[in-house]
Amino acid sequence: GANEEPIFEGHIPFTHMTTTNAYIGHHFVVTNHNQSPKNKSQWLCEVRVNGAQVLYTLYDDSPHASTKPLPAAASNLAKQEAAFMSQYHDKTGIHWRHYFGPLVTQGGAIGPRPPPYLFMWPAEQIGDVHRVESPQGYWSCSGAAAACQSAKPVTLDLEVVSMMPRAFMISNFLSEHEIATIVNLANPRMGISHVGGKDQGTMSSKTRTSTNAWLARHSSPEVNSVYLRAADLLNIDEDMLHHNKNCEDMQVVHYDVGQKYDPHHDWGIGADEKSRVLTLLIYLTDQEGPDAGGETSFPKGVDRMGQGFKVHPKKGAAVLFYNLLEDGNGDDRSMHAALPVKSGIKYAANIWVWDPSRGS
């Protein structure tokens, strides 16, 4: 509205791009970094979101425009991307929402990011189950593995809860001791959660009001075992699950009453085709009751009734969902939210895996 306080979304360097969630009618304005969005005379350009468009090219044609000319390569790339997105929509009926540009994996050729090369579990029918056996037995105490880790393999069932996005419930991913270890390691490191990414920077936001901490894989033998078990669950080589390869450190998130994270995607567009391909969301607490809130909501997902859905597995359970489609596009239906906690507290942990890599 005309009287609303502008909300800062981030920086967009010259010839770069950024992504954000928006709604039809959402109004964006662009200014130089030292100018106020409250002063309309200082706007460089503006955009109003419409339902038929996801790509907006911003041309700085105001009186305050930079004298720096737009490179021909950037202009040609914008035209190629617009043409590709039109063709993709005509062919598939959905918008291309992910990276288009020079491809590191294809020698600098111009085009859309390629399909994921990492394994993706099929989700052909809700209720289907994939069974995986992991030799990473549960931990029951702190100490040597011979004394504290069970020699019995863990059987993990991935039950399909949605085909769009591909989402699976795993009911018994962690033991009580493993949960306690993760929470105890994370608590002293908790800080205000941020939004954004390494390409555009991060910042605090009213859309995300939790606290969080990051745990490296080598934080403890128990955490390392969780990564090894996750590799078995995901059918991925465990050597990929390091922060300088395909995986981030584990994010542990804490929500008090009223705290939440509004609808968002876990994938985003950066400087190249790298992207989070999957999210393994692990629940470290139970709900106090059916009306305690804190569920994970998929407002654009499709359940048995053909409508959005929400889940809150029990303590120690996990939800796996894929952020990309088979062709490499970002899956818009993977949009999700952490609903406000109404009573009690909530702890959860994320393991994010990237495709084709993450790098350091």
Side-chain angles (χ1 to χ4, degrees):
N3 298 320
E4 289 183 322
E5 185 72 16
I7 299 173
F8 178 70
E9 286 286 332
H11 299 285
I12 308 178
F14 184 58
T15 73
H16 286 224
M17 65 171 59
T18 188
T19 57
T20 187
N21 285 324
Y23 51 84
I24 296 173
H26 204 166
H27 187 206
F28 292 88
V29 299
V30 180
T31 70
N32 285 324
H33 73 279
N34 59 348
Q35 294 176 328
S36 170
K38 295 180 180 180
N39 187 346
K40 190 172 183 178
S41 68
Q42 295 184 337
W43 292 358
L44 302 180
C45 54
E46 60 180 312
V47 162
R48 286 195 182 273
V49 175
N50 69 78
Q53 186 177 1
V54 297
L55 174 66
Y56 296 83
T57 304
L58 307 176
Y59 293 100
D60 182 357
D61 54 5
S62 75
H64 308 283
S66 168
T67 57
K68 186 187 300 183
L70 181 66
S75 178
N76 291 334
L77 178 59
K79 293 176 183 177
Q80 288 177 273
E81 183 171 10
F84 166 76
M85 293 183 74
S86 177
Q87 295 165 5
Y88 182 86
H89 186 269
D90 289 345
K91 180 180 178 180
T92 66
I94 62 174
H95 292 291
W96 179 264
R97 299 175 181 272
H98 218 293
Y99 177 82
F100 183 98
L103 301 170
V104 175
T105 56
Q106 298 181 26
I110 301 296
R113 64 147 286 135
Y117 84 96
L118 294 177
F119 177 81
M120 297 176 70
W121 284 107
E124 297 175 353
Q125 183 173 321
I126 293 176
D128 283 355
V129 175
H130 306 291
R131 177 160 289 181
V132 173
E133 188 172 274
S134 173
Q136 291 300 314
Y138 294 129
W139 287 74
S140 60
C141 60
S142 298
C148 291
Q149 184 178 22
S150 173
K152 182 180 178 181
V154 175
T155 299
L156 302 169
D157 287 343
L158 296 90
E159 180 183 354
V160 178
V161 294
S162 169
M163 296 181 288
M164 296 185 292
R166 295 192 196 194
F168 308 82
M169 193 89 74
I170 304 97
S171 63
N172 58 327
F173 189 67
L174 296 184
S175 70
E176 286 283 346
H177 173 74
E178 291 162 353
I179 293 168
T181 298
I182 291 171
V183 171
N184 290 337
L185 287 170
N187 272 337
R189 301 173 176 154
M190 286 288 177
I192 296 173
S193 298
H194 291 81
V195 299
K198 61 182 180 181
D199 292 312
Q200 289 82 35
T202 61
M203 61 184 180
S204 60
S205 170
K206 294 179 180 178
T207 66
R208 188 182 191 193
T209 56
S210 59
T211 55
N212 72 337
W214 299 88
L215 296 184
R217 176 171 168 173
H218 57 74
S219 296
S220 75
E222 294 94 329
V223 173
N224 185 59
S225 285
V226 171
Y227 274 86
L228 293 170
R229 193 179 301 144
D232 294 330
L233 176 77
L234 303 172
N235 196 21
I236 292 175
D237 183 347
E238 64 87 10
D239 188 54
M240 293 181 176
L241 299 189
H242 291 278
H243 69 89
N244 61 343
K245 291 187 177 180
N246 290 73
C247 192
E248 296 172 61
D249 288 340
M250 179 187 295
Q251 180 190 223
V252 183
V253 191
H254 171 250
Y255 299 85
D256 277 322
V257 171
Q259 293 184 327
K260 44 84 175 182
Y261 192 176
D262 289 341
H264 62 282
H265 296 102
D266 279 352
W267 55 269
I269 301 175
D272 56 34
E273 62 263 46
K274 295 174 183 176
S275 177
R276 288 172 177 164
V277 64
L278 66 85
T279 299
L280 183 62
L281 176 57
I282 308 164
Y283 294 77
L284 307 177
T285 47
D286 282 319
Q287 285 178 293
E288 282 198 346
D291 298 319
E295 300 95 340
T296 303
S297 168
F298 292 85
K300 294 186 176 182
V302 179
D303 66 0
R304 290 183 185 273
M305 304 301 293
Q307 53 192 338
F309 63 96
K310 60 184 179 180
V311 295
H312 195 304
K314 65 181 182 180
K315 182 180 181 181
V319 171
L320 163 67
F321 59 93
Y322 290 95
N323 299 302
L324 302 186
L325 298 172
E326 285 185 313
D327 63 0
N329 193 5
D331 189 351
D332 187 38
R333 294 183 185 273
S334 70
M335 175 184 283
H336 57 286
L339 298 181
V341 173
K342 297 178 182 178
S343 65
I345 60 171
K346 172 186 172 183
Y347 278 94
N350 292 298
I351 293 178
W352 283 304
V353 179
W354 288 63
D355 180 285
S357 66
R358 177 174 181 266
S360 56

